[in-house]
Amino acid sequence: MADRKRHQSLTPEEQKRRRTRSLALALTLGVLVVLFYVVTIAKLGPGVLQRPM
């Protein structure tokens, strides 16, 4: 019960900051995924994409 009283609703400005921070984090993670993929393909060589399945 006491824990619920401590949680206050966020102001619109705080909600906007949280959303901006979340979007920045998601974008950063997406860029890292693409970077790791590109580096992996570069290290394995272009032939890895043309192998028979």
Side-chain angles (χ1 to χ4, degrees):
M1 287 284 205
D3 192 32
R4 288 185 184 178
K5 290 181 182 177
R6 276 190 249 163
H7 292 290
Q8 298 174 359
S9 60
L10 299 174
T11 65
E13 183 180 336
E14 290 172 330
Q15 289 175 343
K16 185 178 179 184
R17 277 196 226 160
R18 179 180 282 184
R19 181 166 173 77
T20 303
R21 201 167 34 242
S22 295
L23 287 172
L25 183 59
L27 183 63
T28 302
L29 282 171
V31 168
L32 280 174
V33 166
V34 170
L35 180 66
F36 290 153
Y37 178 77
V38 168
V39 168
T40 300
I41 296 300
K43 282 186 167 272
L44 291 175
V48 75
L49 295 175
Q50 297 173 356
R51 65 187 176 119
M53 291 287 177

